[in-house]
Amino acid sequence: MLATKTAADNLAQAAPVKGRSLWADARARFFRNRAAVSGLVVLIAVGLFAAIGPFIAPWNYEDIDWAVLGNVRDAGRPSLETGHWFGTDALGRDLFARTVQGTQISLMVGIVGALIAVGVGTLYGAVAGFFGGRLDNLMMRIVDVLMSIPYMFVLILLLVVFGRSMLMLFIGIGLVSWLDMARIARGQTLTLRGKEFVEAAQATGVRPFTIIMRHIVPNLLGVVIVYSTLLVPSMIIYESFISFLGLGVQEPLTSWGALINDGAAEMNNGLLWILGFPLFFFVITLFAFFFVGDGLRDALDPKDR
């Protein structure tokens, strides 16, 4: 009897077992994925390179080293002595400084463009899926019409007609980049609007848009986060392709696409470093985003819990 009482006292005094939230579980699953963690480390390193690079670069991205301009093949090679750590381009400009700036612009286009696309697409799809009926049909037909328009043709046409600028680049990319997210958000909202917590909110007289912002959108965060990590590299590829065609950012600004275009033009002259360094950062960043996106998808997938 005494032993039974002692055991009961010990159980009563024992610390309660703490549960783990869905987000904590997803975080643990993500960090067990070596490829995803490696991608995250690479993204952090690239971000630090873009943030710290301007402060440690010996040269400005606009400055021309007249000493190497006439003999770029020999004098413009990567060197610690001259301060051109990545070498110079064909015009004698420091490639390290220009790669830093290209990284900043490409990441800005990718991240800002993805945030805008995800924000607009999520709200648009959530509204269409929640209200349903004729409004849903009308909003989705608008999406279908916009998706039928040749995207790259419209973007190139805008840049040719209205001139090359960062603003026009954002407008052109943002015109249709939110369409896929709108379809995904609508499909998820059609499932969520029949849940008990949504019906309870409707029964208590909560306004529809309040339900969308407080109940629907927060439950879409898992899908939104995964899609945004996969959308960023797509944005970077679009911008790089446009810059590769010569329709992207204007000189003296640059991006990965513009740098790769310059390097490809100098391959026959033996100036391989002009192509190699920007291409390296471009490739590892894209792979890192894809690995992180796959890791988040696996971590947030309810089927794997």
Side-chain angles (χ1 to χ4, degrees):
M1 185 71 178
L2 181 61
T4 305
K5 184 177 180 181
T6 303
D9 293 340
N10 291 337
L11 288 175
Q13 294 176 0
V17 178
K18 294 184 178 180
R20 194 164 59 177
S21 67
L22 295 178
W23 288 105
D25 181 61
R27 183 171 61 249
R29 291 167 59 85
F30 177 83
F31 282 104
R32 286 197 298 267
N33 189 327
R34 294 183 179 180
V37 173
S38 300
L40 181 61
V41 171
V42 170
L43 290 181
I44 293 175
V46 172
L48 291 175
F49 173 77
I52 302 175
F55 301 101
I56 63 175
W59 295 80
N60 187 273
Y61 68 91
E62 293 183 273
D63 295 339
I64 297 176
D65 188 353
W66 299 100
V68 305
L69 186 58
N71 188 19
V72 176
R73 179 180 297 182
D74 297 324
R77 292 180 178 275
S79 173
L80 296 178
E81 297 179 359
T82 61
H84 299 300
W85 300 334
F86 288 1
T88 67
D89 63 6
L91 298 178
R93 295 174 296 186
D94 184 62
L95 190 59
F96 178 85
R98 293 185 63 76
T99 302
V100 169
Q101 192 198 50
T103 303
Q104 292 174 340
I105 292 181
S106 293
L107 288 179
M108 181 183 67
V109 171
I111 294 174
V112 175
L115 290 176
I116 294 174
V118 166
V120 174
T122 300
L123 291 177
Y124 190 94
V127 170
F130 182 79
F131 286 100
R134 294 182 179 179
L135 180 62
D136 180 28
N137 289 329
L138 175 62
M139 295 177 71
M140 287 300 103
R141 296 299 77 77
I142 294 175
V143 170
D144 293 338
V145 170
L146 291 177
M147 293 191 73
S148 66
I149 300 174
Y151 168 61
M152 295 305 299
F153 174 77
V154 174
L155 180 56
I156 292 173
L157 186 63
L158 286 173
L159 293 172
V160 170
V161 173
F162 296 100
R164 297 180 298 170
S165 65
M166 291 295 296
L167 176 61
M168 192 53 57
L169 192 61
F170 277 118
I171 293 175
I173 292 177
L175 278 177
V176 293
S177 58
W178 57 273
L179 299 177
D180 289 331
M181 187 66 240
R183 283 187 164 186
I184 295 172
R186 173 186 176 268
Q188 295 293 320
T189 304
L190 290 175
T191 303
L192 290 172
R193 71 176 184 179
K195 298 294 184 180
E196 292 79 3
F197 60 89
V198 175
E199 294 179 351
Q202 290 176 317
T204 55
V206 180
R207 295 180 180 180
F209 284 101
T210 303
I211 296 176
I212 291 174
M213 297 304 298
R214 289 186 180 179
H215 299 288
I216 301 296
V217 173
N219 282 278
L220 297 177
L221 283 181
V223 177
V224 167
I225 292 173
V226 173
Y227 184 76
S228 61
T229 58
L230 300 176
L231 187 60
V232 171
S234 299
M235 294 287 187
I236 294 175
I237 291 173
Y238 290 149
E239 184 278 328
S240 298
F241 177 72
I242 292 298
S243 297
F244 186 83
L245 296 178
L247 297 174
V249 295
Q250 292 180 311
E251 291 284 355
L253 300 179
T254 189
S255 68
W256 281 336
L259 291 172
I260 292 172
N261 183 30
D262 294 340
E266 298 296 332
M267 286 185 63
N268 293 332
N269 297 327
L271 309 180
L272 298 180
W273 63 86
I274 300 179
L275 174 64
F277 287 107
L279 185 62
F280 170 77
F281 281 94
F282 176 75
V283 171
I284 65 170
T285 303
L286 292 187
F287 274 105
F289 271 114
F290 287 135
F291 286 148
V292 170
D294 288 340
L296 288 174
R297 182 189 60 195
D298 296 338
L300 296 172
D301 189 355
K303 296 179 182 179
D304 294 335
R305 296 188 190 283

